[in-house]
């Protein structure tokens, strides 16, 4: 990447920070940015070459992966989730390097968790760094819309010191790198993935409801692909030196208007956060910032987990990383 491209990246991102939308980033066709990962005929690229369907049936799930590895940037897709009965179904849009760093991989996840008929999909976000899978940092949220009726944009901003998750350009979660996090903050080049798979053992009510293949195939649709970062050879990281200015600009964080939107979202739709789960972590993780209003929201949603006395020990269900489906 030359310095001219770096300047364009920073300029586009300055506009993004000012206006809170991603219209300044180029949208790629599927073949420009991605390739088939698994699932035989369960991945279909439509004739416009900008839309992709991935599906889960009794034979297999499916997925695709970016052609390049990236170190920092802005990554996005518009997604429409399957409707009707979807318990146990997991759709994931995430970044990982587990194929290269089996014991110390990094990962940044959007996971969409299906539900029984009449119940809403939930979003889960999670972050791992340097193989820190023993310390889950998951959060779960409801949504203000039905994600099965239309496409909605899900985006991840990742810099050397900051990660922000967005839904329809509204920031829903921010993770700032702290010195006490050590290697738990993702720092190595990653690929970008999208998958659909069977998560019956954990995804819906801790595994109470499984995938019912009478409702298959479960089809998730993707379009508006943005891969706006430094494509890198993991063995030649110096090629991303020009991204330093991009990281500096992006790490300044959100505008006051964006931060207000994030605060409003979290106080209405947050359903679980590891930062407030004292049965799991007696002392909050070092990056956690405690918000009294979030505590009130979580207590109202789940008073057993997030407030008052508990009788006995609460059962904790395993939450695998998105790459475990492969």
């Amino acid at each position: 990447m030359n310095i001219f491209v770096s300047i364009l990246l920073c300029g586009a991102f300055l506009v993004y920070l000012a206006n809170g939308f991603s219209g300044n980033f180029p949208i790629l066709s599927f073949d420009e940015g991605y390739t088939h990962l698994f699932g035989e005929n369960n991945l279909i690229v439509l004739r416009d070459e900008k839309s992709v369907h991935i599906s889960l049936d009794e034979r297999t799930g499916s997925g695709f992966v970016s052609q390049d590895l990236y170190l920092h940037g802005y990554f996005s897709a518009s997604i429409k989730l399957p409707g009707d009965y979807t318990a146990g179904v997991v759709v994931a849009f995430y970044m990982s390097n587990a194929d290269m760093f089996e014991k110390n991989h990094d990962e940044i996840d959007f996971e969409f968790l299906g539900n029984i008929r009449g119940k809403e999909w939930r979003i889960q976000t999670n972050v791992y760094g340097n193989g820190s899978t023993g310390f889950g940092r998951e959060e779960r949220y409801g949504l203000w819309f039905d994600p099965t009726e239309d496409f909605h944009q899900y985006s991840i901003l990742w810099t050397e010191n900051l990660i922000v998750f967005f839904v329809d350009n509204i920031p829903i979660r921010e993770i700032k790198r702290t010195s006490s996090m050590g290697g738990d903050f993702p720092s190595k080049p990653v690929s970008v993935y999208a998958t659909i798979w069977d998560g019956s053992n954990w995804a819906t009510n801790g595994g109470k409801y499984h995938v019912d293949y009478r409702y298959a195939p479960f089809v998730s649709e993707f379009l508006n692909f943005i891969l706006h970062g430094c494509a890198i050879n993991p063995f030649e990281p110096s090629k991303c030196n020009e991204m330093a200015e991009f990281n500096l600009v992006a790490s300044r964080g959100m505008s006051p208007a964006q931060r207000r939107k994030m605060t409003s979202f979290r106080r209405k739709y947050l359903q679980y956060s590891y930062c407030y789960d004292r049965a799991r972590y007696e002392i909050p993780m070092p990056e956690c910032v405690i918000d009294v209003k979030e505590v009130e929201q979580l207590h109202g949603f789940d008073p057993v987990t997030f407030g008052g006395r508990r009788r006995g020990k609460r059962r904790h269900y395993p939450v695998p990383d998105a790459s475990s489906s492969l």
Side-chain angles (χ1 to χ4, degrees):
M1 180 182 296
N2 60 39
I3 190 65
F4 176 72
V5 175
S6 179
I7 291 171
L8 288 179
L9 282 171
C10 292
F13 203 82
L14 280 170
V15 173
Y16 171 78
L17 288 176
N19 297 315
F21 64 90
S22 56
N24 295 279
F25 296 130
I27 293 176
L28 305 179
S29 68
F30 178 81
D31 289 338
E32 286 177 311
Y34 288 97
T35 188
H36 184 210
L37 179 63
F38 75 104
E40 301 175 359
N41 297 323
N42 283 18
L43 185 150
I44 299 174
V45 181
L46 303 190
R47 290 184 178 180
D48 62 6
E49 297 183 353
K50 296 181 179 179
S51 307
V52 179
H53 291 183
I54 57 175
S55 62
L56 167 69
D57 58 28
E58 61 277 3
R59 297 178 301 110
T60 183
S62 54
F64 54 89
V65 61
S66 62
Q67 297 173 16
D68 292 318
L69 292 161
Y70 295 92
L71 183 64
H72 309 141
Y74 178 84
F75 309 94
S76 182
S78 294
I79 305 172
K80 183 179 179 183
L81 298 173
D84 203 1
Y85 184 99
T86 55
V89 176
V90 179
V91 176
F93 178 62
Y94 66 104
M95 300 149 63
S96 176
N97 49 34
D99 56 335
M100 294 187 301
F101 303 98
E102 183 177 349
K103 295 183 178 180
N104 63 333
H105 83 284
D106 303 321
E107 193 165 314
I108 305 172
D109 300 338
F110 263 119
E111 291 176 310
F112 307 91
L113 312 180
N115 219 324
I116 60 176
R117 184 182 286 123
K119 298 291 185 178
E120 300 172 346
W121 281 79
R122 293 176 300 157
I123 293 182
Q124 176 166 285
T125 61
N126 209 345
V127 171
Y128 300 116
N130 203 34
S132 58
T133 56
F135 299 95
R137 289 176 162 88
E138 62 265 27
E139 289 191 343
R140 288 188 288 274
Y141 326 87
L143 291 168
W144 64 96
F145 55 81
D146 183 344
T148 71
E149 291 184 346
D150 204 352
F151 288 90
H152 292 270
Q153 185 181 21
Y154 304 91
S155 312
I156 299 170
L157 166 67
W158 173 43
T159 79
E160 61 183 355
N161 293 309
L162 179 71
I163 296 169
V164 183
F165 294 87
F166 299 84
V167 176
D168 287 342
N169 295 309
I170 294 174
I172 67 168
R173 181 180 183 183
E174 176 186 51
I175 301 172
K176 293 182 178 180
R177 185 175 196 164
T178 65
S179 58
S180 53
M181 287 181 71
D184 288 0
F185 192 91
S187 60
K188 298 185 291 294
V190 298
S191 299
V192 183
Y193 294 84
T195 58
I196 184 169
W197 45 285
D198 187 330
S200 291
N201 64 331
W202 70 277
T204 307
N205 284 34
K208 180 179 180 180
Y209 300 103
H210 291 192
V211 173
D212 188 337
Y213 286 104
R214 292 177 299 175
Y215 297 93
F218 304 96
V219 180
S220 186
E221 305 172 48
F222 287 73
L223 51 77
N224 295 335
F225 300 109
I226 297 175
L227 295 169
H228 201 77
C230 181
I232 186 174
N233 181 331
F235 303 104
E236 298 180 12
S238 61
K239 287 187 176 181
C240 274
N241 286 345
E242 290 86 358
M243 288 292 288
E245 186 176 356
F246 172 86
N247 276 311
L248 177 62
V249 172
S251 292
R252 292 172 184 167
M254 303 171 224
S255 68
Q258 286 178 310
R259 189 164 296 282
R260 286 193 295 270
K261 289 180 180 180
M262 183 178 73
T263 298
S264 177
F265 170 85
R266 294 179 64 83
R267 291 178 179 180
K268 292 178 182 177
Y269 298 105
L270 184 64
Q271 296 181 356
Y272 176 85
S273 174
Y274 71 104
C275 286
Y276 302 102
D277 190 345
R278 294 296 176 268
R280 186 177 181 189
Y281 300 118
E282 291 185 9
I283 300 175
M285 302 290 270
E287 71 277 7
C288 290
V289 178
I290 304 303
D291 183 316
V292 174
K293 293 295 184 180
E294 289 183 8
V295 173
E296 293 175 357
Q297 157 66 16
L298 290 170
H299 180 261
F301 179 78
D302 184 354
V304 174
T305 302
F306 298 106
R309 292 183 175 178
R310 295 189 183 91
R311 295 181 179 178
K313 294 183 178 179
R314 187 171 68 89
R315 181 180 178 184
H316 292 279
Y317 299 102
V319 182
D321 57 81
S323 59
S324 65
S325 59
L326 306 183

